């Protein structure tokens, strides 16, 4: 057999027998992502510094991104034979999430700076204007 | 144990530990640093999954731009270490309990989920490469792509307007 | 004149129109116009009643249904009038005597202001309307509507001079006692409807209807109906309102509490005679209570000093006679006595009104005396009334009372004996009243003496007409003994009232009874003449005092019933109302207040707590979704 063919066969064999190429079961990614997400939530609930809360939100976003990428690979693995680009949606979605996160961070930090200028603190307990 | 699981576990441990440090550091500066480490770990995961483009973009955008922005703002504040009083102890406990129970519930719910062929392919698979993603992005997803540029424009304008000193 | 029966709806319609016009326009109509309208509608009703009577006499009878009043799947109660012998006779009495009393009132109430004058006549017209509804109704429900209506108008008219609190109490007492009877009446109606499925007279009294009622049903229904009648017709134990009702104007007492409303009970029982004939227990109860009431009231009347009170107790006593007749199965005799009693009692009341008018409002007979010199027409007509009520032939009272005495003799000679004794008492107290008021010397003040004058024509003409009726009214009921076929009223009522004489009585017995009663009555009158011709008022002692205080029945009722109820009501007001009812209602308000205060704390404005709540809510949702949903 020619070299390319042998590589192809090997790759095919590898593709079809999950254990040999040591693919990860999706559950592990799910648990990891959920854990990171919940750590982010605990951070939001626990901290008082607005900037740290913001960072925990970014952490949550990243957990979701990770899960999306993992699922996109899962779909690709399932359907790669039929459709070459199956699963690319997930990764593109992650791309757009990053876009939005960047925009959000810029605006959010601008607001925090504004807040700091007015009350010289970034403690969220002083932000109770929503009461009225 | 193959190389893949080992890598997975190592990266996971780093990510989780750093995340915990993010939320428990006293100084915001330290939190920023730990978050950057989390991002690196996540990028590592992306590389493991052969999502190369995203891995790089994660580093550049998140760790490189966003976190730097955070650092600038923090330095602007010139916060002393721990000027902020701690939150009410009960509220902190409530927060931890709430988040913890959410974790438990989600894990319990998702534990028994049986996904057919639930295998995430690592190290192989072409869709993570720039060429294939680009092909998809500029054909099927070109409209969101263009709109995201408008999004950036509005964010810029907004940030400038908000940040102006009257 | 075939259509007179079809115009029967006009009879109650005229007074209703009168009520509406006078009632709504009371601020604008002049007194003469008001009087004209009120009397005009009464006259119109009377004319139509005559036409109807003439037609019914020739054997007509009519049930006219006007609209569906209650119409459900299982129960149909139409708004219908039944014009037959019984109702047409009552129509004549109500509209005829009513018309005369309206005319009298136009003069008697003349010094009221325009608005109150109109108020009086509107109430009076409304009363006539209700009474007509009562006697013309073709089923128990319409009868009951009229029943309630007359009770209401009685309340309104007794309390006509509403500025006086005592009068208001009297009105309230009348209404409440009526109400107690009404409850029993209602239960009886419900019972009838539940067993027979209809309330119409034709259906209930048909053989088919009666077969649906068992013996106990009939006894219970008749007793309940009788309790209702005791309330309306002032028998034991619900009679104490009638003497107090004299607080109203005298024409009201004449119309309502002598001639019409109080006879509603008699009418109702006469109408239900088929039911009553089937229940011997009830008949006995009716007879005994009637007789007891007659006797009790007569004894009280012996010692009363208010001219209207004597007449009131006399009314109660005569009503007792009528119930005695009903209990003895002599329904025709009872209706006959209703008619004659309407004549002479209205006459007596109107006459007393004339006296009061002359005395400037004083009603105490101890201040009167010797009035027959100044008030000739009043005195003469009053005398006619007294003779009639005493039962001297050939005046009307004799024939009707004699029929009753005969029926009671046939039922039980002991009843006859007591009834005869009561008749003697009746003669005695009536003539006491006459002699004390009109004979002897005047005992009042000088100003009153100067004020004495005969009443104007509008008042004396009705007196004269009623006196004539009292004299000749008995001629429609001449018993068989005197003239064959003389009992016209009996023949007239026979299609409606099914009577059967149980024993035939020999002529000799009849003559004996009649002679006995007449002779004893004459003796009593002579005795009264000697006793009272020169009357001097004096303090009462012993039995006289008890009688003067009405056997202390009112006080007894107060002690047993009224005071406990008052205390109970006070308890409910102070304790129950304040703490429990108000407590609950205010408590709800306080609870809502408290809850909202606590809820308001949620909106603290602290972002952190908002996020915590969000997380907890999501947690709950997830738990529900994944673990609790089946």
């Amino acid at each position: 057999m020619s070299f390319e063919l042998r590589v192809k066969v090997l790759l095919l064999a590898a593709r079809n027998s999950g254990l040999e190429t040591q693919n990860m079961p999706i559950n592990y990614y799910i648990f990891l992502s959920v854990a990171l997400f919940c750590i982010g939530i605990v951070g939001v609930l626990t901290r008082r510094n607005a900037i740290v809360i913001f960072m925990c939100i970014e952490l949550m976003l990243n957990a979701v991104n990770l899960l999306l990428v993992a699922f996109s690979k899962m779909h690709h693995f399932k359907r790669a034979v039929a459709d070459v680009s199956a699963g690319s949606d997930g990764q593109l979605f992650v791309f757009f999430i990053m876009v939005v996160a960047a925009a959000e961070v810029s605006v959010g930090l601008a607001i925090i700076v504004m807040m700091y200028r007015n009350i010289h603190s970034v403690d969220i307990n002083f932000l109770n204007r929503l009461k009225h | 144990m193959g190389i893949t699981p080992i890598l997975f576990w190592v990266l996971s441990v780093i990510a989780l530990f750093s995340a915990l440090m993010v939320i428990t550091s006293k100084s915001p500066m330290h939190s920023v640093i730990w978050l950057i480490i989390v991002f690196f770990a996540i990028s590592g995961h992306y590389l493991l999954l052969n999502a190369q483009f995203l891995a790089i973009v994660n580093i550049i955008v998140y760790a490189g731009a966003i976190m730097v922005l955070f650092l600038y703002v923090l330095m602007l504040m010139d916060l002393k270490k721990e000027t902020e009083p701690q939150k009410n102890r009960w509220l902190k406990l409530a927060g931890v309990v709430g988040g913890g129970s959410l974790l438990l519930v989600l894990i319990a719910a998702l534990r028994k989920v049986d996904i057919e062929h639930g295998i995430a392919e690592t190290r192989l698979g072409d869709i993570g490469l720039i060429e294939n993603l680009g092909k998809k992005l500029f054909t099927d997803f070109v409209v969101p792509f263009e709109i995201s540029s408008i999004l950036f424009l509005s964010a810029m304008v907004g940030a400038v307007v908000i940040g102006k000193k009257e | 004149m075939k259509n007179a029966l079809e115009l029967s709806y006009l009879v109650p319609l005229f007074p209703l129109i009168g009520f509406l016009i006078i009632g709504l326009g009371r601020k604008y109509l002049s007194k003469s116009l008001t009087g004209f309208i009120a009397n005009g509608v009464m006259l119109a009703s009377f004319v139509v009643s005559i036409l109807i009577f003439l037609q019914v006499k020739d054997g007509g009878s009519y049930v006219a249904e006007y609209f569906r009043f209650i119409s459900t799947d299982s129960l149909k109660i139409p708004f219908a009038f039944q014009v037959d012998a019984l109702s047409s006779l009552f129509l004549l009495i109500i509209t005829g005597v009513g018309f005369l009393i309206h005319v009298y009132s136009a003069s008697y109430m003349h010094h009221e202001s325009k608005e109150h004058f109109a108020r009086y006549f509107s109430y009076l017209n409304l009363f006539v309307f209700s009474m007509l509804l009562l006697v013309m109704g073709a089923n128990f429900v319409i009868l009951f509507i009229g029943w309630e209506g007359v009770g209401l108008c009685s309340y309104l008219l007794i309390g006509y001079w509403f500025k006086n609190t005592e009068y208001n109490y009297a009105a309230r007492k009348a209404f409440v006692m009526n109400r107690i009877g009404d409850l029993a009446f209602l239960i009886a109606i419900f019972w009838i409807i539940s067993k027979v499925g209809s309330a119409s007279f034709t259906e209930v009294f048909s053989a088919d209807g009666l077969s649906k009622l068992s013996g106990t049903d009939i006894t219970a229904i008749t007793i309940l109906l009788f309790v209702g009648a005791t309330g309306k017709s002032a028998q034991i134990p619900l009679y104490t309102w009638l003497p107090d009702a004299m607080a109203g104007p005298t024409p009201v007492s004449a119309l309502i509490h002598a001639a019409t409303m109080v006879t509603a009970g008699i009418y109702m029982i006469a109408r239900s005679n088929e039911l009553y004939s089937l229940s011997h227990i009830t008949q006995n109860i009716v007879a005994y209570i009637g007789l007891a009431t007659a006797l009790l009231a007569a004894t009280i009347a012996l010692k009363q000093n208010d001219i209207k009170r004597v007449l009131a107790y006399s009314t109660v006593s005569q009503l007792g006679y009528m119930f005695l007749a009903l209990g003895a199965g002599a329904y025709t005799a009872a209706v006959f006595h209703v008619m004659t009693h309407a004549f002479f009692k209205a006459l007596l009341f109107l006459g007393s009104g004339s006296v009061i008018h002359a005395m400037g409002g004083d009603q105490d007979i101890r201040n009167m005396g010797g009035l027959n010199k100044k008030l000739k027409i009043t005195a003469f007509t009053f005398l006619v009334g007294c003779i009639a009520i005493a039962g001297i032939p050939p005046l009307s009272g004799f024939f009707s009372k004699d029929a009753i005495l005969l029926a009671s003799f046939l039922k039980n000679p002991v009843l006859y004996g007591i009834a005869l004794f009561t008749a003697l008492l009746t003669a005695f107290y009536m003539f006491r009243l006459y002699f004390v008021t009109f004979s002897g010397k005047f005992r009042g003040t000088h100003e009153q003496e100067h004020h004495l004058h005969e009443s104007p024509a509008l008042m004396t003409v009705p007196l004269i007409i009623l006196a004539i009726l009292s004299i000749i009214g008995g001629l429609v009921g001449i018993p068989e003994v005197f003239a064959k076929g003389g009992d016209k009223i009996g023949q007239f009522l026979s299609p409606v009232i099914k009577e059967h004489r149980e024993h035939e009585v020999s002529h000799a017995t009849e003559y004996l009874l009649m002679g006995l009663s007449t002779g004893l009555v004459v003796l009593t009158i002579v005795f009264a003449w000697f006793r009272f011709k020169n009357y001097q008022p004096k303090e009462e002692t012993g039995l006289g005092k008890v009688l003067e205080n009405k056997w202390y029945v009112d006080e007894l009722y107060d002690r047993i019933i009224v005071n406990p109820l008052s205390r109970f009501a006070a308890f409910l007001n102070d304790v129950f109302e304040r703490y429990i009812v108000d407590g609950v209602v205010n408590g709800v308000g306080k609870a809502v207040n408290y809850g909202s205060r606590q809820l308001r704390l949620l909106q603290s404005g602290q972002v952190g707590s908002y996020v915590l709540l969000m997380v907890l809510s999501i947690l709950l949702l997830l738990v529900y979704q994944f673990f609790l949903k089946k």
Side-chain angles (χ1 to χ4, degrees):
Chain A
M1 234 191 270
S2 70
F3 178 68
E4 288 91 358
L5 211 59
R6 224 175 290 160
V7 167
K8 275 217 182 86
V9 167
L10 222 89
L11 286 174
L12 215 61
R15 188 163 288 165
N16 291 340
S17 53
L19 278 171
E20 266 77 353
T21 50
Q22 292 158 344
N23 291 328
M24 297 302 297
I26 191 68
N27 300 340
Y28 293 14
Y29 281 103
I30 293 180
F31 294 146
L32 173 63
S33 175
V34 162
L36 281 172
F37 188 80
C38 289
I39 291 176
I41 286 190
V42 172
V44 168
L45 294 174
T46 320
R47 301 294 300 243
R48 262 170 82 167
N49 192 329
I51 302 182
V52 175
I53 290 179
F54 217 166
M55 291 197 298
C56 297
I57 293 176
E58 295 303 318
L59 179 58
M60 289 198 273
L61 278 174
N62 264 279
V64 171
N65 287 350
L66 176 61
L67 192 58
L68 273 168
V69 170
F71 270 124
S72 82
K73 294 300 295 214
M74 183 187 95
H75 281 293
H76 182 72
F77 180 68
K78 260 206 263 184
R79 298 212 215 112
V81 184
D83 176 12
V84 176
S85 66
S88 53
D89 311 10
Q91 300 198 359
L92 284 172
F93 197 33
V94 172
F95 176 68
F96 282 112
I97 290 181
M98 287 190 196
V99 163
V100 170
E104 160 212 352
V105 165
S106 60
V107 175
L109 284 177
I111 293 176
I112 290 182
V113 167
M114 211 49 223
M115 194 178 87
Y116 180 75
R117 265 199 227 138
N118 284 337
I119 58 178
H120 284 283
S121 162
V122 283
D123 187 340
I124 57 163
N125 274 356
F126 296 152
L127 289 173
N128 51 10
R129 291 293 188 82
L130 280 172
K131 185 152 75 161
H132 301 292
Chain B
M1 274 276 257
I3 187 76
T4 313
I6 293 178
L7 273 177
F8 176 83
W9 285 116
V10 167
L11 286 168
S12 303
V13 167
I14 294 177
L16 284 169
F17 178 71
S18 308
L20 281 168
M21 291 314 290
V22 165
I23 68 171
T24 57
S25 291
K26 294 266 195 285
S27 161
M29 290 287 223
H30 292 178
S31 298
V32 174
I33 304 297
W34 285 114
L35 192 59
I36 294 180
I37 298 183
V38 170
F39 289 152
F40 272 101
I42 303 257
S43 291
H45 272 294
Y46 289 161
L47 276 176
L48 193 56
L49 287 170
N50 206 16
Q52 303 165 3
F53 174 64
L54 280 180
I56 300 299
V57 167
N58 201 9
I59 304 277
I60 297 176
V61 171
Y62 259 111
I66 294 179
M67 285 297 115
V68 170
L69 205 55
F70 268 106
L71 273 173
Y72 282 158
V73 172
L74 269 177
M75 288 193 298
L76 205 62
M77 306 278 158
D78 193 19
L79 287 170
K80 302 289 179 266
K81 200 180 191 164
E82 251 347 279
T83 49
E84 53 174 275
Q86 285 299 316
K87 237 176 154 162
N88 179 1
R89 203 202 292 180
W90 290 111
L91 281 174
K92 276 212 292 192
L93 186 66
V96 170
V97 165
S101 7
L102 188 63
L103 178 65
L104 282 173
V105 165
L106 282 172
I107 291 187
L110 297 172
R111 201 166 34 104
K112 292 273 174 56
V113 168
D114 179 28
I115 307 182
E116 229 181 68
H117 300 299
I119 308 285
E121 189 184 15
T122 59
R123 291 164 67 203
L124 294 175
D126 291 345
I127 57 165
L129 305 177
I130 288 189
E131 182 189 336
N132 297 329
L133 271 184
K135 270 195 207 149
K136 228 21 206 285
L137 181 64
F138 290 116
T139 55
D140 288 338
F141 292 97
V142 68
V143 175
F145 184 71
E146 300 300 334
I147 291 181
S148 64
S149 68
I150 301 180
L151 176 70
F152 273 135
L153 179 66
S154 63
M156 262 197 299
V157 170
V160 169
V161 165
I162 293 178
K164 241 154 93 107
K165 233 191 210 159
E166 274 303 324
Chain C
M1 269 301 150
K2 193 116 172 88
N3 300 336
L5 290 182
E6 284 167 26
L7 294 176
S8 56
Y9 67 89
L10 282 179
V11 179
L13 186 63
F14 283 134
L16 180 64
I17 294 176
F19 158 69
L20 285 171
I21 295 179
I22 300 175
L24 291 173
R26 64 185 183 280
K27 293 204 178 92
Y28 313 114
L29 297 170
S30 72
K31 276 200 256 191
S32 42
L33 192 55
T34 309
F36 184 68
I37 295 177
N39 291 313
V41 295
M42 285 306 295
L43 187 59
S45 287
F46 181 54
V47 166
V48 180
S49 304
I50 292 183
L51 293 174
I52 291 177
F53 173 74
L54 289 172
Q55 199 155 341
V56 172
K57 203 158 78 81
D58 293 331
S61 126
Y62 191 61
V63 177
E65 188 175 314
Y66 292 113
F67 55 88
R68 281 191 282 179
F69 186 50
I70 297 177
S71 179
T72 68
D73 216 9
S74 50
L75 182 62
K76 287 194 186 345
I77 298 182
F79 188 90
F81 286 159
Q82 179 165 336
V83 180
D84 57 13
L86 183 62
S87 52
S88 63
L89 183 62
F90 267 86
L91 279 185
L92 276 181
I93 300 175
I94 297 167
T95 52
V97 176
F99 172 62
L100 290 173
I101 295 182
H102 272 70
V103 171
Y104 181 94
S105 304
S107 172
Y108 188 81
M109 303 296 287
H110 200 69
H111 47 76
E112 296 283 327
S113 73
K114 176 172 74 173
E115 204 179 316
H116 291 293
F117 190 76
R119 185 166 64 97
Y120 174 83
F121 274 105
S122 66
Y123 289 163
L124 215 57
N125 273 356
L126 182 64
F127 168 80
V128 173
F129 166 70
S130 308
M131 190 71 202
L132 290 170
L133 216 57
L134 198 158
V135 299
M136 286 180 77
N139 54 60
F140 278 103
V141 176
I142 306 295
L143 194 159
F144 190 68
I145 296 177
W147 189 275
E148 294 281 309
V150 296
L152 170 69
C153 294
S154 166
Y155 168 80
L156 289 172
L157 283 163
I158 296 174
Y160 173 73
W161 287 305
F162 52 79
K163 301 229 170 95
N164 185 323
T165 326
E166 288 301 316
Y167 295 173
N168 288 336
Y169 285 157
R172 188 181 66 181
K173 182 171 175 177
F175 194 74
V176 170
M177 285 191 140
N178 262 206
R179 222 62 191 104
I180 299 175
D182 291 350
L183 176 64
F185 196 140
L186 265 177
I187 297 179
I189 295 182
F190 294 153
W191 201 312
I192 292 177
I193 293 181
S194 79
K195 290 287 177 177
V196 180
S198 157
S200 298
F201 295 140
T202 42
E203 283 177 46
V204 173
F205 301 140
S206 65
D208 189 40
L210 288 175
S211 65
K212 293 192 191 147
L213 296 168
S214 74
T216 36
D217 283 337
I218 293 184
T219 311
I221 291 173
T222 48
I223 290 183
L224 285 168
L225 286 175
F226 176 59
V227 174
T230 57
K232 192 64 85 185
S233 302
Q235 298 296 293
I236 293 176
L238 297 172
Y239 72 92
T240 53
W241 63 270
L242 188 54
D244 286 358
M246 296 300 114
T250 311
V252 168
S253 309
L255 181 59
I256 300 187
H257 306 125
T260 42
M261 183 180 97
V262 293
T263 58
I266 318 289
Y267 168 79
M268 188 259 296
I269 295 187
R271 178 61 84 188
S272 319
N273 60 78
E274 271 126 9
L275 281 179
Y276 278 86
S277 301
L278 287 173
S279 166
H280 289 295
I281 303 178
T282 318
Q283 281 190 311
N284 286 337
I285 293 178
V286 172
Y288 294 150
I289 289 190
L291 186 59
T293 312
L295 183 60
L296 178 71
T299 55
I300 298 179
L302 287 174
K303 287 290 180 190
Q304 295 301 307
N305 290 321
D306 179 329
I307 191 171
K308 282 174 70 175
R309 286 221 169 201
V310 176
L311 293 175
Y313 281 107
S314 166
T315 306
V316 175
S317 181
Q318 295 300 307
L319 287 168
Y321 264 108
M322 295 179 215
F323 277 102
L324 171 62
L326 289 173
Y331 304 102
T332 316
V335 174
F336 187 26
H337 200 59
V338 166
M339 190 175 88
T340 59
H341 177 261
F343 295 149
F344 54 68
K345 196 43 74 63
L347 167 64
L348 287 167
F349 265 110
L350 294 185
S352 72
S354 183
V355 169
I356 295 171
H357 182 251
M359 291 287 290
D362 191 354
Q363 298 180 219
D364 195 333
I365 58 175
R366 293 174 289 197
N367 297 338
M368 301 179 193
L371 292 180
N372 57 5
K373 300 186 192 58
K374 294 279 180 73
L375 305 173
K376 290 196 169 37
I377 303 183
T378 309
F380 180 68
T381 50
F382 203 90
L383 182 60
V384 170
C386 287
I387 298 179
I389 197 175
I392 310 268
L395 271 69
S396 55
F398 165 71
F399 292 107
S400 56
K401 195 178 282 200
D402 180 73
I404 296 178
L405 287 176
L406 182 63
S408 65
F409 179 77
L410 289 174
K411 187 167 167 76
N412 187 341
V414 176
L415 293 181
Y416 169 76
I418 302 178
L420 182 60
F421 177 63
T422 313
L424 300 181
L425 287 179
T426 308
F428 186 71
Y429 68 70
M430 283 312 300
F431 275 94
R432 164 181 178 266
L433 184 64
Y434 178 77
F435 291 136
V436 170
T437 311
F438 291 100
S439 316
K441 283 203 326 236
F442 185 69
R443 290 181 295 279
T445 66
H446 276 293
E447 297 85 58
Q448 283 175 325
E449 195 163 6
H450 283 290
H451 187 253
L452 288 177
H453 60 280
E454 183 59 87
S455 308
L458 271 182
M459 282 167 69
T460 51
V461 168
L463 287 177
I464 297 174
I465 298 180
L466 284 170
I468 296 175
L469 283 172
S470 302
I471 295 176
I472 62 168
L475 297 176
V476 295
I478 302 179
E480 292 284 318
V481 188
F482 289 146
K484 268 260 174 293
D487 189 10
K488 296 222 173 5
I489 190 170
Q491 291 158 10
F492 179 65
L493 289 175
S494 56
V496 182
I497 295 184
K498 319 247 180 310
E499 262 177 44
H500 35 261
R501 278 276 168 88
E502 292 196 352
H503 331 267
E504 264 313 314
V505 61
S506 71
H507 285 202
T509 324
E510 259 195 85
Y511 281 131
L512 179 62
L513 293 174
M514 273 193 259
L516 186 64
S517 62
T518 311
L520 286 175
V521 164
V522 170
L523 280 176
T524 318
I525 295 176
V526 172
F527 174 54
W529 157 252
F530 279 115
R531 184 91 194 263
F532 292 113
K533 64 177 174 174
N534 289 313
Y535 174 73
Q536 289 300 327
K538 62 182 195 297
E539 194 70 30
E540 295 293 341
T541 54
L543 183 62
K545 195 159 170 52
V546 173
L547 291 182
E548 190 178 359
N549 283 314
K550 314 163 274 162
W551 296 91
Y552 298 108
V553 171
D554 271 322
E555 287 77 6
L556 182 69
Y557 281 174
D558 269 348
R559 183 102 63 96
I560 298 183
I561 299 173
V562 177
N563 283 342
L565 277 178
S566 287
R567 276 206 296 272
F568 182 56
F571 164 73
L572 283 179
N573 187 35
D574 292 333
V575 175
F576 193 72
E577 177 80 15
R578 191 183 302 168
Y579 293 119
I580 300 184
V581 175
D582 276 353
V584 167
V585 172
N586 288 348
V588 169
K590 282 197 208 137
V592 170
N593 238 342
Y594 177 73
S596 68
R597 233 199 349 258
Q598 300 304 99
L599 270 179
R600 205 188 334 124
L601 294 174
L602 262 182
Q603 271 222 305
S604 56
Q606 300 288 7
V607 182
S609 43
Y610 291 172
V611 178
L612 180 62
L613 278 171
M614 276 200 292
V615 170
L616 288 173
S617 317
I618 293 181
L619 186 62
L620 276 168
L621 272 172
L622 287 174
V623 167
Y624 171 70
Q625 181 70 20
F626 284 123
F627 298 115
L628 296 179
K629 230 158 89 136
K630 289 290 173 256

